Amino acid sequence: MRAEEFKELLPKICDKDTTLDPDGWTRKNPLWGHCAVVSVLAQRLFGGELLRASLEGTDFAHMRSHYWNRLFGDTVEDFTANQFGNNYPLGLGPKAETRTVEYVLSNPETKKRYELLLERFESVK
């Protein structure tokens, strides 16, 4: 699967029960609150590194942090950037720290959401 195909598939498998913020999730914004689980799934598919930055001081501080990927070849890909609409938090790149899959999935709720997203992905890919 190519990254573009993955992007097209995400709105079909991301739902209210796989988001960090079910109260903020809408069908019009299906990627809302999915950065951690989507980034782990993307890392599984494409390899590379997971990147994380704090959202403190942004309009999205209640979400705590944002995850995206650095794929092999140093391509940076934020598969859930659309969740922010036209208000993408500026300055995340310089604050980025790498994280492991184990770190992201150490939270039991995140792991549960990831497993559900993975199951959906496997059933439609």
Side-chain angles (χ1 to χ4, degrees), residues 77-94:
E77 193 69 64
D78 188 340
F79 291 103
T80 63
N82 290 344
Q83 71 178 309
F84 300 114
N86 294 326
N87 298 316
Y88 191 90
L90 300 176
L92 293 183

Side-chain angles (χ1 to χ4, degrees), residues 1 15 23 28 32-33 36-37 42-43 58 71 91 96 98 100 108 116:
M1 174 171 286
D15 207 334
D23 293 334
K28 289 183 179 181
W32 179 257
V37 294
Q43 198 271 341
T58 74
L71 307 179
T98 59
T100 65
L116 182 55

Side-chain angles (χ1 to χ4, degrees), residues 2-125:
R2 294 179 303 114
E4 289 303 316
E5 293 170 313
F6 183 63
K7 283 183 192 177
E8 290 174 18
L9 180 63
L10 287 173
K12 298 171 188 168
I13 64 173
C14 292
D15 207 334
K16 191 172 188 169
D17 55 357
T18 52
T19 182
L20 171 68
D21 182 21
D23 293 334
W25 183 90
T26 66
R27 292 203 184 284
K28 289 183 179 181
N29 192 354
L31 301 181
W32 179 257
H34 281 86
C35 65
V37 294
V38 165
S39 293
V40 170
L41 182 55
Q43 198 271 341
R44 175 186 175 122
L45 294 171
F46 306 114
E49 296 177 303
L50 296 173
L51 301 174
R52 178 203 173 271
S54 171
L55 290 173
E56 186 177 326
T58 74
D59 292 342
F60 307 98
H62 70 284
M63 302 291 276
R64 296 186 311 272
S65 61
H66 181 60
Y67 287 88
W68 66 101
N69 300 81
R70 181 181 299 126
L71 307 179
F72 289 119
D74 257 359
T75 303
V76 174
E77 193 69 64
D78 188 340
F79 291 103
T80 63
N82 290 344
Q83 71 178 309
F84 300 114
N86 294 326
N87 298 316
Y88 191 90
L90 300 176
L92 293 183
K95 299 190 303 185
E97 303 172 339
T98 59
R99 292 291 188 248
T100 65
V101 169
E102 293 78 21
Y103 174 86
V104 178
L105 298 182
S106 66
N107 178 300
E109 287 303 310
T110 304
K111 185 175 182 178
K112 186 170 125 182
R113 292 184 302 110
Y114 169 73
E115 288 172 348
L116 182 55
L117 189 69
L118 176 60
E119 183 180 304
R120 288 184 184 158
F121 173 78
E122 293 291 338
S123 71
V124 297
K125 69 173 184 175

